[in-house]
Amino acid sequence: MNKALLWTGIALFVLVIFFYTSCTRIDAGHEGVKVQMYGSDKGVQDVSLVTGRVFFNPFTEEVHEFPVFVQTADYEPFTVNAKDGSVFTVDPTITYKVIAGHSPAIFQKYRKGIKEITSTTLYNYVRDAFRIQFNEFTTDSMISNRKGFENAVQAQLSSELTKEGFHLEQLTSGIQYPESITQAIDAKNRAVQQAMQVENELRVAEANARKLIVLAESEAKANQLRQQSLTPLLIQQQFIEKWDGKTPLYGNSPVMFKTVQ
């Protein structure tokens, strides 16, 4: 009797352990992929498991989670040659997500988790997109049409990732120009700034000169008007207004009386 209870307890314990090890929960924002490890059905099942609890045989099956929310990958910088041989440094960052329902195909192809796929496969696609597009642009055309260049890179990368079951949200190139190009751009900017400064100084000088001319013309016109207004009658009137009633004397005044000693 005791042995029967013991074996019953052991069986129940094994069933409980089996239950917990054969059940997992797929978190929200993820897809579950059930993998057959043995038998004729070995491979990834055609159905992506939705969020919730999933039951499986832990001896013959595995369940992997694939996030389907937007993720960001900031890659290490690498160098790429332009069409004319100039060497550019690219420091890319991408935001992407797994297209819903594509997790089984992705796992079936790569047999890796999303982190490893991001650091290897997706990184290679990013490098190839920049390499191919840089081969289509010279240094001058890339600098003068950088937006067009980056749009071309993003369009190519988006197309390639879509084929693999990924959706590219955004690509930031982080392009750094060669030192010689940077120096040339700085020199050009300084020359433009100096030219603008000289032009501004010329404008100030011209404005000051025009100001002096206007003042001189105004003064000349004022003198001319004053001269035209000084008629003989006006001069006589001003003389009368300013006369103090005394006879003006020129030289020494005449002596009317002799001093008596």
Side-chain angles (χ1 to χ4, degrees), residues 38-131:
Y38 305 101
S40 59
D41 294 333
K42 182 180 179 181
V44 178
Q45 293 182 348
D46 295 334
V47 180
S48 296
L49 304 178
V50 296
T51 58
R53 290 195 176 277
V54 179
F55 293 91
F56 64 98
N57 185 346
F59 300 105
T60 61
E61 296 175 328
E62 289 181 348
V63 175
H64 299 271
E65 279 190 336
F66 269 69
V68 291
F69 53 82
V70 176
Q71 301 182 77
T72 299
D74 186 2
Y75 294 115
E76 292 295 324
F78 56 86
T79 58
V80 188
N81 291 338
K83 189 175 182 179
D84 54 3
S86 297
V87 180
F88 289 80
T89 299
V90 179
D91 187 7
T93 300
I94 64 171
T95 54
Y96 70 98
K97 66 179 181 179
V98 174
I99 300 175
H102 285 68
S103 299
I106 294 173
F107 187 85
Q108 186 178 32
K109 183 174 183 178
Y110 296 108
R111 293 286 175 168
K112 299 175 182 177
I114 191 64
K115 290 184 178 181
E116 191 174 356
I117 293 174
T118 299
S119 62
T120 56
T121 304
L122 298 191
Y123 177 64
N124 291 333
Y125 276 115
V126 171
R127 286 179 60 93
D128 287 344
F130 278 101
R131 178 181 57 80

Side-chain angles (χ1 to χ4, degrees), residues 1 7 12 18 33 36 41 48 58 60 74 77 82 84 86 102 126 137 142-143 175-176 189 193 198 209 240 251 260:
M1 185 68 178
W7 286 109
L12 290 174
F18 181 80
V33 179
Q36 295 286 346
D41 294 333
S48 296
T60 61
D74 186 2
D84 54 3
S86 297
H102 285 68
V126 171
F137 284 78
M142 199 285 293
I143 294 176
I175 297 176
Q176 300 174 15
N189 291 337
Q193 292 174 358
V198 171
I240 294 173
V260 180

Side-chain angles (χ1 to χ4, degrees), residues 19-37:
F19 175 80
Y20 279 104
T21 57
S22 63
C23 177
T24 186
R25 178 179 178 82
I26 307 300
D27 294 332
H30 293 73
E31 287 182 341
V33 179
K34 184 186 289 185
V35 182
Q36 295 286 346
M37 297 183 293

Side-chain angles (χ1 to χ4, degrees), residues 99-224:
I99 300 175
H102 285 68
S103 299
I106 294 173
F107 187 85
Q108 186 178 32
K109 183 174 183 178
Y110 296 108
R111 293 286 175 168
K112 299 175 182 177
I114 191 64
K115 290 184 178 181
E116 191 174 356
I117 293 174
T118 299
S119 62
T120 56
T121 304
L122 298 191
Y123 177 64
N124 291 333
Y125 276 115
V126 171
R127 286 179 60 93
D128 287 344
F130 278 101
R131 178 181 57 80
I132 293 172
Q133 292 304 320
F134 262 111
N135 286 335
E136 300 293 329
F137 284 78
T138 63
T139 301
D140 291 339
S141 63
M142 199 285 293
I143 294 176
S144 61
N145 188 25
R146 178 167 176 174
K147 183 177 180 180
F149 167 80
E150 292 186 341
N151 288 340
V153 174
Q154 181 157 338
Q156 178 180 339
L157 181 59
S158 178
S159 175
E160 295 297 331
L161 294 188
T162 300
K163 296 176 184 178
E164 299 299 320
F166 297 91
H167 173 70
L168 179 65
E169 295 281 335
Q170 185 178 6
L171 166 67
T172 303
S173 63
I175 297 176
Q176 300 174 15
Y177 298 150
E179 185 65 24
S180 58
I181 302 300
T182 303
Q183 293 176 356
I185 293 175
D186 290 341
K188 180 180 179 181
N189 291 337
R190 286 195 299 270
V192 171
Q193 292 174 358
Q194 291 174 356
M196 292 177 62
Q197 181 179 357
V198 171
E199 184 178 355
N200 291 334
E201 291 175 351
L202 288 175
R203 289 178 180 176
V204 172
E206 290 176 357
N208 290 334
R210 286 195 297 270
K211 180 179 179 181
L212 292 176
I213 291 173
V214 170
L215 292 175
E217 290 177 348
S218 299
E219 184 66 22
K221 289 181 180 180
N223 291 335
Q224 183 179 3

